[in-house]
Amino acid sequence: MPRCLNCGNTNRFVSSQIVSSRRHHEPHGLAGQFSDDGGIVHLENNNAPLESYNEAWQTPEKYFDTCHNCGSQNLLW
């Protein structure tokens, strides 16, 4: 399960690798919401290629590297 070592967030993380398209107001291209047991509950896709979106379900630690709450990249997986 991902956890932000800065603020303690364990629920919502974003990918710094995928930039949002201009038509969206979100700064991230891919966001993930995680359950208490660490599994992905929901993915929000704002510009991720379909291949990356699907791969993020299988290997979230490869994509979600930034805390949605505080912006820290100091995460523990």
Side-chain angles (χ1 to χ4, degrees), residues 23-61:
R23 66 176 180 229
H24 294 285
H25 299 288
E26 295 293 331
H28 54 268
L30 187 63
Q33 182 178 353
F34 292 80
S35 65
D36 290 340
D37 66 2
I40 296 176
V41 175
H42 176 74
L43 285 184
E44 180 181 314
N45 185 354
N46 289 323
N47 197 39
L50 184 58
E51 183 178 303
S52 297
Y53 176 82
N54 289 334
E55 191 175 335
W57 280 102
Q58 301 301 315
T59 55
E61 64 278 359

